[in-house]
Amino acid sequence: MLQIDLWKRICIWAIVALGVLLAVPNGFYGRVEAHNDAAKAVAQGADPSQVQEALDGWPSWMPSGLVNLGLDLRGGAHLLAEVKVAEVYQSRVEGMWPAVRDLLRDKRAEVGTIRLEPTKGPELVVRLNERPDQVGRAAELVRSLATPVASLTGAGASDIDVTTRGNSIVVRLSEAEQRATDERTVRQSLEIIRRRIDEVGTREPTIQRQGSDRILIQVPGIGSANELKDIIGTTAQLTFQPVVGRASSAEERAGPGNEVLPSLNEPGVFYVLERAPVVTGDELVDAQPDFDQNGRPAVSFRFNPTGARAFGDYTAANIGSPFAIVLDNEVISAPVIQSHIAGGSGIITGNFDVEESTNLAVLLRAGALPAGLEFLEERTIGPELGADSVEAGKVASLVAFGLVLVFMVASYGLFGLFANIALIVNVALIFGLLSVIGATLTLPGIAGIVLTIGMAVDANVLIFERIREEMQTAKGAARAIELGYEKALSAIVDANITTLITAVILFAMGSGPVRGFAITLGLGILTSVFTAIFVTRLITVMWFDRKRPKKVLQGRYLKLVKQHTKVNFLGRWKLSIGLSALLIILAFVSFFAQGLNFGIDFRGGTTIRTQSAQTVDIGEYRSAMADLGLGDISITEVFDPTFGPDENVSMIRVQAQDDTEAVTPETIAAIHSALQVVVPDIEFKSVESVGPKVSDELITTASIAVILAMAAVLIYIWLRFEWQFAVGAVVALVHDVILTIGVFSEVQLQFDLATIAALLTIVGYSLNDTVIVFDRVRENLRKYKTMPLIEILNLSINETLSRTIMTSFTTMLALLALYFLGGDVIRGFVFAMMWGIVVGTYSSIFVASTFLLWFGVKRDWNKPDGNAGTQFAGIDA
């Protein structure tokens, strides 16, 4: 019976209402954002009366969660930093020297005198001068200093390994302690970076761990990656060290256990210091900008009880001796201790201005980074470019939305209107879910939503086309609608699960904007299935209960394909396979002859997007930068119909520089200065830099992602159908991927991470088409047990042809809007998906089915073969 229980209706409408309610704040983005900022300020102690207008701008009882805008939409800076964990080993081992020295001095009667030997690696080498035969006893004594490793993985292990080498003791960190140190160092670095950025008060920063020793930092609204590096890149390691004496140069011999460091404010002055500090910045509890007794900017500080005690004891025992205040291996000052300094507080003076003393206080208060950072990837997106991208994305989305709505009404009449209501609900649910999880929306994410708009109608098209078929045989409209939903369910689930698999792999393997695309695509798949299976069905049932029509979907609607086609698609399989083989050969020839135009994601280097009112002259630009010694420089002019008459845009790509992971800010400034000589009004709208280490890893990761997607799909289709179906589907996928790469090679479009996202989307879309055909083949194999396989394949393709063309057309409508109106930034990405629709539709009809014809399939599906991989074939997943 065509009916839905009351409790199910209530649940469906409740989910829809909740999704719409959660999405509503995004329609008033500026107002809600101002309200949230004001509420946060009040929570931190601000006067409510000063921000009352912003607080009143949005009702407090309404949801206020927003979708975060990514850097490409808001502008800002992006850094990928690698923590130099190995640096910590050296400092940890060196810090053990006072304890080792004091222990062995107390046992001088047994082991004799000792001497600290210079080393190059992270180890402590102590030589026995007088009694080398007691080296074993000395090592045993030093082992007593070992403590258990403070980690679950290192339970039961000691933190140091003590061995002997001739007449010397060698102390190193144990492997378990090194692993624990790595984990602590990265976690501490992550927390300190978060505190430093929070001190500045930026909005919605993204700070997260990536891999074992890397940290991803994205801060919207900040001026440049260089500015962000200034906030987080300084280690701010503060130490108080005993002064041994002065030195005339950095090369002067310091002696065992000592080091030579330069003075920050006195050029040419160097100090010889004991390497082991008395206290460090880790023991600070507060640091504030201040002024000394002469009114000069300074920084006051206060130690915790442990630091205060150590500092007090040292000053009491060393009155009249100098000690050095050292920041990042430079001596700020080296005052003489005049008296016992009790209480654990003091003041740091130096040649500061007010801004420098304030910044130093922020750094010291946030804590010292335990290790240095190497910046592997830097990106700066100007706010104007971000605003342009938002506007372009809005326009493209609205046009795509409108085109699909009109097309659905023209094709299915009232049922098309039902589908359109579900489509609006679908987009609201996507934004509601994105708001709840606090996801970041990027430009590829907008593309994912636009793609969802195009693909969301697929499930409805499947159902509506099935209802049309059932109207030819079923008894009445009610039965046709019921059978249409029932028989389309298996194909809908199979098709969307295969696409969801690619979205999951893309999320797991990707990063940044690619991951944002995967999130919107994955959520879009879930909401599309929900709205097609539940929302449109509920609307249809409510309408049917009131109108009780005799016929449905039988009027004169727009049809791209006539209802009963009898095209012999496989009659000329040699021609179609020959065409595919020829195109694949051409793709390989193009690929090996000229290769791909890799973007900086895969090649490494720096890309600068420039804009000026003056016309771009590539030769003039190249001549201006010729004397900078930057190696290979690629300059291209960007054309786009959305650009105004004063928007002349170029992309400058500079090769990765030797021995550096990113082009320095000084180099970027030099490029800007050189170009300003010939183009005074030139602006850098975005700067992106990727080091060779990251680019090599991205190539590997991208390849693995594509292979994993194909393998996962192979397994799923094998479980749901037979191995022949799985092989046919994967062959079609390989065909689509090769032809897409061939097109990118031939026309030399930029091939970057976004293109990989597009490739995986093509994989999902092609599978969607192929699985729909295969699902009908499986059904017809059960229905027509004696019909030749080639006829069943042709029949199945013809029966699903209307759905295939309708879905491809609606998706293409959405992508065309994005291609022409979405701006040049994602045009290559959208082109890859448009091409994928063409080759995906072709391969699902001609390639996958032809391979299925060659392999043959089991005919009696009522007697499943345990070895055929069809154990899940009868399940509507």
Side-chain angles (χ1 to χ4, degrees):
M1 294 293 293
L2 189 61
Q3 60 182 13
I4 299 175
D5 294 338
L6 178 62
W7 70 270
K8 290 182 180 179
R9 298 188 184 205
I10 293 172
C11 288
I12 293 169
W13 286 126
I15 292 172
V16 170
L18 179 62
V20 171
L21 188 65
L22 291 171
V24 163
N26 294 285
F28 306 90
Y29 203 95
R31 189 188 304 177
V32 178
E33 190 172 52
H35 170 272
N36 292 345
D37 289 345
K40 183 178 179 181
V42 170
Q44 292 175 348
D47 183 1
S49 62
Q50 295 181 347
V51 291
Q52 194 61 47
E53 186 178 350
L55 287 172
D56 295 339
W58 187 251
S60 57
W61 54 269
M62 283 282 287
S64 58
L66 293 171
V67 177
N68 297 325
L69 296 181
L71 299 187
D72 50 1
L73 297 178
R74 189 192 284 272
H78 160 114
L79 293 174
L80 179 63
E82 186 172 73
V83 183
K84 298 179 181 177
V85 291
E87 289 182 355
V88 183
Y89 306 158
Q90 184 72 31
S91 60
R92 279 285 309 280
V93 171
E94 288 175 353
M96 296 185 66
W97 165 239
V100 173
R101 178 191 62 199
D102 294 345
L103 174 66
L104 295 181
R105 276 180 180 173
D106 291 342
K107 300 292 183 180
R108 185 176 296 175
E110 289 185 61
V111 300
T113 59
I114 59 172
R115 178 183 177 84
L116 179 65
E117 294 289 293
T119 61
K120 293 184 178 179
E123 60 184 18
L124 200 67
V125 179
V126 183
R127 190 180 73 188
L128 273 62
N129 297 322
E130 299 171 348
R131 305 189 64 178
D133 56 309
Q134 293 298 311
V135 69
R137 172 59 180 159
E140 184 181 340
L141 290 170
V142 174
R143 287 190 189 101
S144 67
L145 296 174
T147 58
V149 175
S151 75
L152 293 175
T153 56
S158 297
D159 64 340
I160 58 172
D161 287 335
V162 183
T163 58
T164 60
R165 184 193 301 159
N167 62 344
S168 299
I169 307 162
V170 181
V171 183
R172 299 188 187 90
L173 293 183
S174 65
E175 287 190 13
E177 179 62 20
Q178 287 184 12
R179 289 194 296 270
T181 299
D182 291 353
E183 181 67 20
R184 284 196 301 270
T185 301
V186 175
R187 284 190 176 185
Q188 187 180 351
S189 299
L190 189 71
E191 184 56 35
I192 288 169
I193 288 171
R194 182 175 285 114
R195 286 209 300 263
R196 288 185 180 182
I197 290 175
D198 286 346
E199 285 268 4
V200 180
T202 55
R203 175 185 283 130
E204 302 295 346
T206 299
I207 306 162
Q208 60 191 29
R209 187 169 178 173
Q210 196 168 89
S212 61
D213 59 354
R214 292 179 183 173
I215 298 173
L216 175 69
I217 308 127
Q218 294 181 327
V219 183
I222 202 164
S224 68
N226 193 35
E227 186 179 332
L228 181 57
K229 285 163 69 176
D230 287 341
I231 296 172
I232 65 169
T234 308
T235 51
Q237 290 178 329
L238 182 72
T239 56
F240 295 79
Q241 297 172 232
V243 176
V244 177
R246 285 200 175 198
S248 57
S249 71
E251 287 74 32
E252 188 165 321
R253 186 175 179 81
N258 299 332
E259 61 183 346
V260 178
L261 296 180
S263 170
L264 177 64
N265 301 315
E266 301 172 278
V269 175
F270 298 86
Y271 290 90
V272 180
L273 311 178
E274 288 188 21
R275 200 180 290 271
V278 177
V279 285
T280 69
D282 291 341
E283 288 150 324
L284 285 175
V285 293
D286 192 22
Q288 296 292 338
D290 207 339
F291 295 91
D292 63 13
Q293 65 269 27
N294 297 316
R296 293 175 301 189
V299 176
S300 60
F301 63 87
R302 183 162 51 87
F303 287 119
N304 63 20
T306 303
R309 186 165 51 251
F311 190 61
D313 291 347
Y314 179 80
T315 55
N318 292 274
I319 294 173
S321 300
F323 77 103
I325 302 173
V326 181
L327 179 69
D328 290 337
N329 294 320
E330 290 184 307
V331 178
I332 296 177
S333 61
V336 174
I337 300 171
Q338 303 293 342
S339 62
H340 173 217
I341 303 175
S345 61
I347 190 167
I348 302 172
T349 59
N351 191 21
F352 305 134
D353 59 27
V354 173
E355 184 179 358
E356 288 171 339
S357 66
T358 303
N359 289 341
L360 178 58
V362 166
L363 292 173
L364 295 178
R365 197 161 56 244
L369 282 171
L373 301 175
E374 183 175 19
F375 295 103
L376 308 179
E377 193 174 302
E378 303 177 20
R379 302 179 193 271
T380 301
I381 309 295
E384 298 89 357
L385 183 61
D388 291 346
S389 297
V390 170
E391 193 59 35
K394 281 182 183 176
V395 172
S397 300
L398 290 173
V399 171
F401 203 63
L403 289 173
V404 172
L405 294 181
V406 171
F407 180 74
M408 287 300 291
V409 171
S411 300
Y412 298 106
L414 187 61
F415 276 71
L417 181 62
F418 297 161
N420 288 341
I421 294 171
L423 189 59
I424 294 169
V425 170
N426 182 28
V427 174
L429 289 176
I430 292 174
F431 274 95
L433 287 171
L434 289 173
S435 300
V436 167
I437 65 176
T440 298
L441 184 64
T442 60
L443 206 52
I446 290 179
I449 293 175
V450 173
L451 182 65
T452 300
I453 291 172
M455 294 179 66
V457 300
D458 180 49
N460 287 308
V461 169
L462 272 169
I463 294 166
F464 296 163
E465 290 297 321
R466 200 67 198 234
I467 291 172
R468 274 180 175 166
E469 286 182 40
E470 296 302 329
M471 277 300 298
Q472 309 299 317
T473 56
K475 295 180 179 179
R479 184 60 178 161
I481 294 172
E482 188 174 10
L483 287 175
Y485 276 95
E486 284 180 6
K487 292 187 176 182
L489 180 63
S490 175
I492 291 170
V493 171
D494 280 333
N496 283 281
I497 283 180
T498 51
T499 309
L500 187 62
I501 287 172
T502 62
V504 169
I505 290 173
L506 199 57
F507 178 81
M509 304 293 291
S511 61
V514 174
R515 181 170 283 193
F517 171 77
I519 290 173
T520 54
L521 182 63
L523 292 178
I525 291 167
L526 298 177
T527 56
S528 297
V529 172
F530 170 76
T531 52
I533 293 176
F534 295 104
V535 177
T536 54
R537 183 170 188 169
L538 178 54
I539 295 172
T540 302
V541 169
M542 291 171 64
W543 166 78
F544 190 85
D545 286 343
R546 291 173 60 88
K547 296 296 184 181
R548 293 287 174 179
K550 300 294 183 183
K551 294 181 180 181
V552 291
L553 293 172
Q554 297 298 299
R556 300 181 64 181
Y557 301 116
L558 173 66
K559 294 180 182 178
L560 300 179
V561 178
K562 63 180 183 179
Q563 194 153 356
H564 300 290
T565 57
K566 294 183 180 179
V567 181
N568 186 8
F569 289 102
L570 300 181
R572 297 183 179 179
W573 63 263
K574 293 180 181 178
L575 178 63
S576 59
I577 294 299
L579 176 61
S580 290
L582 176 62
L583 291 174
I584 288 172
I585 290 170
L586 291 175
F588 273 109
V589 169
S590 177
F591 179 78
F592 287 110
Q594 58 186 6
L596 290 168
N597 177 22
F598 285 117
I600 61 165
D601 292 328
F602 297 136
R603 180 181 290 181
T606 298
T607 296
I608 304 168
R609 181 186 176 99
T610 74
Q611 182 175 316
S612 65
Q614 185 174 318
T615 305
V616 174
D617 186 327
I618 293 175
E620 198 174 45
Y621 281 27
R622 193 180 300 279
S623 299
M625 293 184 288
D627 296 333
L628 298 179
L630 299 174
D632 182 33
I633 297 177
S634 169
I635 306 170
T636 55
E637 185 172 2
V638 179
F639 298 96
D640 193 271
T642 62
F643 290 166
D646 293 333
E647 290 182 85
N648 295 286
V649 178
S650 74
M651 299 296 288
I652 301 172
R653 187 165 63 196
V654 182
Q655 70 178 33
Q657 304 297 296
D658 294 337
D659 303 324
T660 60
E661 284 295 328
V663 173
T664 63
E666 292 76 19
T667 303
I668 300 296
I671 295 172
H672 193 227
S673 298
L675 290 174
Q676 277 186 320
V677 174
V678 293
V679 187
D681 68 332
I682 196 166
E683 295 179 67
F684 285 6
K685 292 297 184 182
S686 69
V687 179
E688 302 184 34
S689 185
V690 177
K693 184 187 294 185
V694 171
S695 62
D696 290 344
E697 292 171 1
L698 288 175
I699 292 174
T700 304
T701 303
S703 303
I704 292 173
V706 175
I707 292 169
L708 278 178
M710 292 185 179
V713 165
L714 178 75
I715 293 169
Y716 179 80
I717 296 181
W718 194 338
L719 291 174
R720 288 286 286 156
F721 296 88
E722 288 187 64
W723 68 265
Q724 296 96 326
F725 287 81
V727 173
V730 170
V731 168
L733 292 186
V734 173
H735 167 275
D736 298 344
V737 169
I738 290 174
L739 291 190
T740 303
I741 291 175
V743 166
F744 269 76
S745 171
E746 184 60 33
V747 300
Q748 287 294 288
L749 282 172
Q750 184 166 294
F751 194 90
D752 52 20
L753 268 183
T755 311
I756 295 296
L759 272 179
L760 286 177
T761 308
I762 291 167
V763 167
Y765 187 88
S766 177
L767 276 171
N768 192 308
D769 267 357
T770 303
V771 168
I772 297 300
V773 174
F774 281 180
D775 192 81
R776 187 59 67 94
V777 170
R778 180 174 61 185
E779 181 182 329
N780 286 333
L781 283 169
R782 292 190 181 110
K783 189 184 296 185
Y784 307 108
K785 293 184 171 57
T786 60
M787 182 182 291
L789 181 58
I790 189 171
E791 292 184 22
I792 284 182
L793 291 171
N794 272 322
L795 175 64
S796 301
I797 295 170
N798 277 288
E799 286 178 342
T800 56
L801 185 62
S802 178
R803 170 264 155 204
T804 300
I805 301 301
M806 291 284 287
T807 299
S808 297
F809 187 78
T810 51
T811 309
M812 187 66 80
L813 276 178
L815 290 176
L816 281 169
L818 198 62
Y819 183 82
F820 287 109
L821 301 173
D824 67 290
V825 179
I826 57 168
R827 185 156 289 134
F829 174 82
V830 176
F831 174 81
M833 291 199 290
M834 290 169 62
W835 172 257
I837 288 175
V838 175
V839 296
T841 303
Y842 173 86
S843 66
S844 66
I845 293 174
F846 294 102
V847 178
S849 300
T850 300
F851 274 83
L852 196 57
L853 177 63
W854 290 354
F855 289 130
V857 291
K858 177 172 68 69
R859 299 306 301 265
D860 190 358
W861 284 70
N862 294 319
K863 298 176 181 178
D865 178 1
N867 298 319
T870 58
Q871 54 267 47
F872 297 98
I875 300 173
D876 285 335

